[in-house]
Amino acid sequence: MNKKSQRIYLTLYGMHCASCAALIERALKEVSGVEDVRVNFGAGKASVLLNEKIENIENLLTAVKKAGYRAEISTEKGIEIELQKRHEETVILFRKFLFSLLLSLPLFCFMLFDFFPRLAWRESAMPWMGLIALFLATPIQFWLGADFYKGFWSALKMKTFNMDSLVAIGTSTAYFYSLINFITSRGQLSNLFFETSALLITFVLLGKWLEARAKGRTSDAIRKLVGLKPKTATVLRNNVEIEVPIEEVKVGETILVRPGEKIPVDGVITKGFSTIDESMITGESLPVEKTVGETVVGGTLNKTGSFEFKALRVGGETTLAQIIRLVEEAQGSKAPIQAFADRVAAYFVPAVIAIAFLAFGIWFWALGATFSFALMTFISVIVIACPCALGLATPTAIMAGTGKGADLGILIKGGEPLEVANRIKAVVLDKTGTLTYGRPVVTDIVLVRGKKKDVLKLAASLENRSEHPLAKAIVDQAKEKAINLNEVEEFAAIPGYGVQGKIDGSLYFLGNRKLIEDVVYLKTARLEEKIAALENQGKTVMILASSKEILGLVAVADKIKETAREAVQMLESRGLSVYMITGDNWRTAQAVAKQLGIKNILAEVLPADKARKIKELQEKGRKVAMVGDGINDAPALAQADLGIAMGSGTDVAIETGGLVIISGDLRDVAYALDLSRDTLMKIKQNMFFALFYNTMGIPIAARALTFLGLILKPELAGLAMALSSVSVVSNSLLLRRWQPVKKDWLSALAPVIMVVAFVFLFWEFAYFSTKVMRN
């Protein structure tokens, strides 16, 4: 991507199917300055990459408007407004459906009269029934169905077809054919099909309402996250408590939080202590005790004590805001498998129209059927084949899967990492901060010359300028013993080796064997037995030396996470090869790996070489996932087929990873892979059902199975089309029931249930239609 390029997100309104998404995508690509466009039908979003030459972003909104739809620039502040508008759209659709249903009910009753052709009063009532049918069908066709004509016209301007085209063509054919017959036959019901056009629009509106309602439920994750944001904060200004809107809180201000209140922004406690419920962010159910110096996260709930904290991140920089952004981007993304659906949808509508004309021609001219019979066949094919279900197959599953992940503290950053997660064969785990807590402590000081206190003082003075976790452990140990540190001159950190610096004019070194032997040129052989003994216990040993001699050893150990061994077993039980990667020497690495049950070890790997090690594994034909949490893990996370960042780590690692484990619990890596697998399975199920539905539906609608006595009336074809979309969305929504480890039998049986339901649906509709036609 060009450095000067920018990506913006548009919220789209008025889309009805995958063809609508393709239409908008095409319109946006024609805008000067647009480099790339991705439109997601299920999420109602467009992701647009702009180059530096674009002069007016409003051109994008204009392009969408000319295509027959409406767009707004999506912003963090606009998320709540956007959710409200989505809800209002659903309410409007329901009202339209309800009004259309009320107008259509009398027409449905007229259709049922076909079962009773010998009713005594039927003939005398027919002229009035025709007039009533015309009166009721007209507002449905041109008022409630106006959006279909708008969409049809927009598609024509772009020289293409979409779902609106199919509905407009089908209903208009039935309506105008009936209108001509009504005028020429003086209201006789025999060739009037007003109920066909009216019920078609009613059933399509029903499907659109159910679909919008179900799609709204897939956005529950964002709605919940937005609901976590506090509206106000109690800020201390000039030692006075002032309640201000959350948007007015500034970095560095002191904020007071009382029991039962939500923490407004991210910060660090400066006074007091409390127990905080972080489950809404991390997925961890147990409250966490926090005291002075510890960080707090905006949106979490203060349980017991009162405390004051300093605001460090506000507005869009808070953890909660970043999570909302990541989830929103993920739900608006496309999986690579979506490209198949997009290709099918692009050719599907023109193909359906061609099949409909072919069916009409065969029945009317080749087989000698009546014009009305051939016309109803044409309309049935047109309306049953709308590609809504195919367009919803991928995005609804992604929205439901990523939303469920967010509930569990697992952020899946879009469709691509979700799909890649299913092809992973090897998982590489960084040791420090991933398998361990990343908070090591000094365990041993071994003297070679001088006093222990002097060795610790020199080591801590050197490491005081370093940001490495091991350095912090040594400095903290010196502070605990109230040791005053020396000033260090000419300090230098040597990646993968250690540190060096001048103290009181003398040059000192602290690091591993390679530093002492390759840089200082001192031999460590006489200390090898002591070093080996410590390393066999899983401790990292650092050697302190002057330019002339070795002064002592400092051993540091990092505590292994309680759930790490279980997590490794879980990954291996899923058929994955597990590797541990570390900068530690082989002996220390083997000791740690033995405790964790890891057989594959990548030790003595310099930070710059981690990405190279990942590449070597990839060259063996494996899809590799890298799990890390530090800045030095970022290149490896980017190199891996799937980067998994532990949420307890740095922003750089989190931004680089395709998956983010907010809780820092390594077991969630296995759960994330499981959820990704099940989400992709839902996508494949949905695509199968969408294609299976059309494979079954089109021949029946074309009346190719009349030899079995199966005929499908157009209005019931429209209902079947609507229900197919609802069934696909409902199948995706089963992911909301997903739980780690626990088997969801309803979700597992869903494919079988849906196949049986589809067959039963078509059989019943065809049986009903056949009975009507015979009578």
Side-chain angles (χ1 to χ4, degrees):
M1 187 175 79
N2 191 308
K3 288 183 179 180
K4 294 184 179 180
S5 299
Q6 60 171 321
R7 187 173 290 279
I8 69 164
Y9 296 88
L10 302 179
T11 302
L12 304 171
Y13 301 95
M15 287 197 297
H16 303 138
C17 65
S19 299
C20 299
L23 198 64
I24 295 173
E25 199 165 282
R26 185 172 159 186
L28 288 171
K29 283 180 178 177
E30 292 179 0
V31 177
S32 176
V34 172
E35 293 183 356
D36 180 56
V37 180
R38 296 176 185 176
V39 177
N40 187 310
F41 166 51
K45 294 279 187 182
S47 171
V48 187
L49 184 64
L50 309 172
N51 62 33
E52 72 277 11
K53 295 178 183 177
I54 193 160
E55 297 176 358
N56 190 357
I57 293 178
E58 292 295 322
N59 292 342
L60 300 174
L61 307 183
T62 303
V64 174
K65 187 176 181 180
K66 285 183 179 178
Y69 305 90
R70 188 165 60 86
E72 294 177 357
I73 296 173
S74 181
T75 62
E76 185 209 343
K77 290 183 179 179
I79 293 175
E80 294 179 61
I81 299 171
E82 179 189 317
L83 292 172
Q84 180 60 32
K85 285 184 178 179
R86 295 282 184 208
H87 174 70
E88 289 171 1
E89 271 194 348
T90 305
V91 172
I92 291 170
L93 277 173
F94 176 71
R95 288 173 181 168
K96 282 186 174 182
F97 159 68
L98 194 60
F99 198 58
S100 185
L101 178 65
L102 291 173
L103 292 175
S104 300
L105 279 176
L107 301 178
F108 182 70
C109 293
F110 295 166
M111 186 179 72
L112 291 179
F113 287 162
D114 289 337
F115 282 105
F116 310 103
R118 293 183 178 83
L119 284 175
W121 50 271
R122 185 176 183 274
E123 293 300 322
S124 60
M126 283 182 68
W128 292 105
M129 290 164 66
L131 185 61
I132 293 169
L134 173 62
F135 179 76
L136 294 174
T138 300
I140 296 175
Q141 185 71 34
F142 299 108
W143 176 35
L144 298 173
D147 286 341
F148 300 119
Y149 284 108
K150 291 177 184 176
F152 182 25
W153 176 244
S154 298
L156 281 179
K157 287 192 293 183
M158 300 294 290
K159 299 177 182 178
T160 186
F161 295 99
N162 60 4
M163 173 191 160
D164 291 335
S165 307
L166 297 179
V167 176
I169 291 170
T171 58
S172 296
T173 302
Y175 178 85
F176 286 110
Y177 176 71
S178 302
L179 180 61
I180 293 168
N181 280 337
F182 178 80
I183 295 170
T184 57
S185 64
R186 299 180 181 179
Q188 295 298 311
L189 277 178
S190 55
N191 281 310
L192 300 185
F193 303 102
F194 287 120
E195 78 279 0
T196 297
S197 64
L199 289 171
L200 261 174
I201 290 174
T202 301
F203 290 144
V204 171
L205 289 173
L206 169 65
K208 286 165 66 67
W209 169 61
L210 291 173
E211 183 185 301
R213 190 180 174 199
K215 281 164 63 179
R217 290 170 64 194
T218 62
S219 297
D220 278 353
I222 290 181
R223 191 174 288 106
K224 287 179 183 176
L225 289 168
V226 170
L228 294 177
K229 293 173 66 176
K231 304 296 182 186
T232 60
T234 303
V235 181
L236 296 178
R237 292 177 179 171
N238 299 321
N239 293 323
V240 178
E241 296 179 15
I242 303 174
E243 190 171 295
V244 300
I246 192 72
E247 294 80 12
E248 294 182 12
V249 176
K250 299 174 183 176
V251 174
E253 287 193 304
T254 299
I255 299 170
L256 174 65
V257 183
R258 299 182 178 88
E261 292 182 345
K262 285 183 179 179
I263 297 167
V265 296
D266 296 359
V268 59
I269 297 177
T270 56
K271 182 179 179 182
F273 63 91
S274 185
T275 302
I276 297 173
D277 180 1
E278 296 184 334
S279 59
M280 59 284 292
I281 299 293
T282 65
E284 292 292 324
S285 57
L286 294 177
V288 182
E289 291 185 356
K290 299 277 187 175
T291 187
V292 174
E294 294 190 282
T295 57
V296 290
V297 179
T300 55
L301 182 64
N302 182 31
K303 300 285 284 185
T304 54
S306 296
F307 63 90
E308 295 176 7
F309 75 96
K310 180 182 178 182
L312 296 181
R313 293 193 287 191
V314 301
E317 299 301 314
T318 64
T319 300
L320 179 59
Q322 290 182 55
I323 291 173
I324 292 173
R325 176 175 57 80
L326 287 174
V327 174
E328 190 183 24
E329 287 178 2
Q331 294 196 340
S333 69
K334 283 186 179 182
I337 197 172
Q338 176 70 23
F340 169 74
D342 291 343
R343 286 196 301 272
V344 171
Y347 298 103
F348 195 76
V349 176
V352 167
I353 294 174
I355 292 170
F357 275 110
L358 181 64
F360 173 87
I362 291 173
W363 278 110
F364 185 62
W365 282 297
L367 300 178
T370 64
F371 184 81
S372 60
F373 184 93
L375 189 67
M376 291 301 102
T377 303
F378 171 84
I379 297 171
S380 294
V381 173
I382 285 285
V383 299
I384 203 169
C386 291
C388 301
L390 189 63
L392 289 166
T394 299
T396 53
I398 288 176
M399 291 171 74
T402 54
K404 186 62 186 179
D407 287 344
L408 298 171
I410 300 168
L411 298 185
I412 304 171
K413 293 166 65 175
E416 188 170 349
L418 184 149
E419 192 169 332
V420 170
N422 288 269
R423 301 198 297 270
I424 294 301
K425 296 299 179 185
V427 179
V428 179
L429 305 171
D430 179 57
K431 182 180 80 74
T432 305
T434 302
L435 289 165
T436 66
Y437 283 102
R439 297 190 297 270
V441 294
V442 175
T443 58
D444 303 87
I445 295 177
V446 178
L447 285 177
V448 177
R449 185 178 182 84
K451 300 178 180 178
K452 279 189 177 183
K453 183 178 179 180
D454 294 335
V455 169
L456 180 59
K457 184 175 183 176
L458 287 170
S461 298
L462 286 171
E463 294 285 29
N464 195 34
R465 300 271 296 274
S466 174
E467 296 179 354
H468 196 281
L470 298 180
K472 188 175 185 303
I474 296 171
V475 173
D476 288 346
Q477 179 78 353
K479 288 180 178 177
E480 283 181 19
K481 296 187 176 297
I483 296 175
N484 295 320
L485 304 184
N486 294 318
E487 285 293 324
V488 178
E489 298 175 346
E490 299 179 21
F491 172 84
I494 308 171
Y497 289 86
V499 295
Q500 68 178 48
K502 277 188 176 181
I503 299 175
D504 296 331
S506 298
L507 189 59
Y508 293 93
F509 302 84
L510 180 67
N512 55 27
R513 290 182 186 82
K514 289 188 288 184
L515 174 70
I516 305 303
E517 294 185 347
D518 298 348
V519 178
V520 190
Y521 303 112
L522 296 175
K523 299 295 183 182
T524 61
R526 62 192 180 94
L527 296 171
E528 190 58 38
E529 187 176 339
K530 292 179 180 179
I531 294 172
L534 292 169
E535 289 178 343
N536 286 334
Q537 298 172 38
K539 298 173 182 178
T540 299
V541 180
M542 286 170 280
I543 305 170
L544 177 68
S546 66
S547 55
K548 298 178 180 178
E549 58 183 344
I550 295 175
L551 304 176
L553 309 177
V554 180
V556 178
D558 191 359
K559 186 181 178 184
I560 294 173
K561 292 180 179 179
E562 286 84 352
T563 59
R565 184 177 178 85
E566 182 186 353
V568 170
Q569 292 172 345
M570 289 170 65
L571 292 170
E572 289 182 338
S573 70
R574 286 156 176 76
L576 301 170
S577 299
V578 180
Y579 292 76
M580 183 184 78
I581 191 167
T582 178
D584 289 342
N585 62 74
W586 276 99
R587 191 178 284 117
T588 301
Q590 286 174 329
V592 174
K594 186 176 181 181
Q595 295 178 57
L596 294 166
I598 296 176
K599 303 177 186 65
N600 304 304
I601 306 168
L602 303 172
E604 297 182 7
V605 180
L606 298 176
D609 291 335
K610 286 186 178 181
R612 182 176 57 80
K613 288 291 183 182
I614 298 294
K615 190 174 183 179
E616 288 175 4
L617 290 174
Q618 290 171 324
E619 288 171 351
K620 296 177 182 178
R622 291 180 165 188
K623 293 290 184 182
V624 180
M626 169 69 191
V627 186
D629 76 319
I631 290 175
N632 61 358
D633 296 327
L637 289 169
Q639 173 63 43
D641 298 285
L642 177 66
I644 304 177
M646 305 304 284
S648 54
T650 65
D651 288 342
V652 176
I654 291 172
E655 285 297 319
T656 308
L659 294 180
V660 180
I661 308 300
I662 301 175
S663 66
D665 188 336
L666 204 59
R667 291 176 298 181
D668 284 349
V669 172
Y671 298 145
L673 297 177
D674 290 345
L675 179 58
S676 299
R677 179 200 63 210
D678 291 346
T679 303
L680 187 65
M681 182 59 68
K682 283 295 174 197
I683 293 173
K684 291 179 178 178
Q685 288 174 6
N686 289 345
M687 284 192 168
F688 167 77
F689 293 134
L691 295 172
F692 172 73
Y693 161 81
N694 282 300
T695 303
M696 281 188 61
I698 291 177
I700 297 175
R703 303 185 177 181
L705 303 181
T706 51
F707 65 92
L708 295 177
L710 295 178
I711 298 172
L712 195 61
K713 287 178 70 66
E715 54 268 38
L716 293 178
L719 179 59
M721 180 272 292
L723 293 179
S724 70
S725 298
V726 174
S727 63
V728 165
V729 178
S730 300
N731 187 46
S732 296
L733 285 173
L734 289 173
L735 284 168
R736 296 177 67 200
R737 298 164 49 89
W738 191 91
Q739 292 294 333
V741 182
K742 187 178 178 182
K743 184 74 172 178
D744 182 5
W745 289 107
L746 177 60
S747 186
L749 292 173
V752 178
I753 295 171
M754 288 179 69
V755 169
V756 173
F758 273 137
V759 174
F760 177 77
L761 177 81
F762 280 122
W763 178 263
E764 286 300 308
F765 284 177
Y767 174 77
F768 177 79
S769 299
T770 305
K771 200 165 184 180
V772 171
M773 297 291 289
R774 284 175 179 169
N775 287 321

